[in-house]
Amino acid sequence: MLKDVHNSGPVEDTDGHLYDPGVRAAMSAFDPDGDTLALEAAAAVRSASQAVDRLRSHGAGGRGLSSGALDVLARLAGADPAGLSIGELARAGGVSSRNVTGLVDTLEGEGLARRVPDPDDRRSVRATITPAGRDWLDDFRVPTRRAMAAVFRGFTPGELAAFRHLCLRVVANQQQLEQHLGRGGR
């Protein structure tokens, strides 16, 4: 059912704000009083994220890197030449070390990153970007800039800053909620 809710397409409400009637109808099942605004906003964030991911994937030229692998590769590109530990990558990305290990495995398999011994701890390894990884990112930048310019066409700099701000507020609220729930606040 939820798979098909976006088929109706957005329309404007009386305030001139876009909404999706299919999403609104589907979300009304969760709140019989009709207060679906937060649920609709969450669905819109998910749809926007999926749209950006589809464009990013297209810009990847069929190489099929996940957004997680792309994030790790970009972090390695900006890192010290000695690379970053799996733990550092996990903390920076807000994911588990196990998740990052899999992402580094993928990047290594593609020849975009490699593991190297940690010069300060011989029991540990660091991940570094390879020349092929740098080339891949260079090739990825131009189509990505074009795609993002197209997807955000018509947005003013102020709207983009406000959009970024609101998305990061959602992330901060989610992180605070996770911390609260992790401390026995259930």
Side-chain angles (χ1 to χ4, degrees), residues 53-74:
D53 275 349
R54 280 192 303 276
L55 278 173
R56 183 209 47 81
S57 178
H58 182 72
R63 297 268 316 253
L65 284 188
S66 68
S67 58
L70 178 59
D71 180 64
V72 168
L73 190 62

Side-chain angles (χ1 to χ4, degrees), residues 128-151:
T128 62
I129 191 167
T130 64
R134 289 195 188 283
D135 290 344
W136 191 95
L137 278 176
D138 287 344
D139 292 344
F140 181 74
R141 281 187 181 103
V142 171
T144 298
R145 279 195 301 265
R146 286 185 186 141
M148 291 307 106
V151 81

Side-chain angles (χ1 to χ4, degrees), residues 73 76 80-84 104 112-116 126-130:
L73 190 62
L76 293 175
D80 183 270
L84 295 168
V104 171
L112 305 176
R114 69 176 169 262
R115 286 180 173 85
V116 297
R126 300 179 79 73
T128 62
I129 191 167
T130 64

Side-chain angles (χ1 to χ4, degrees), residues 33-54:
D33 295 329
D35 186 12
T36 61
L37 193 55
L39 296 169
E40 289 180 62
V45 167
R46 185 181 66 247
S47 295
S49 175
Q50 290 169 345
V52 169
D53 275 349
R54 280 192 303 276

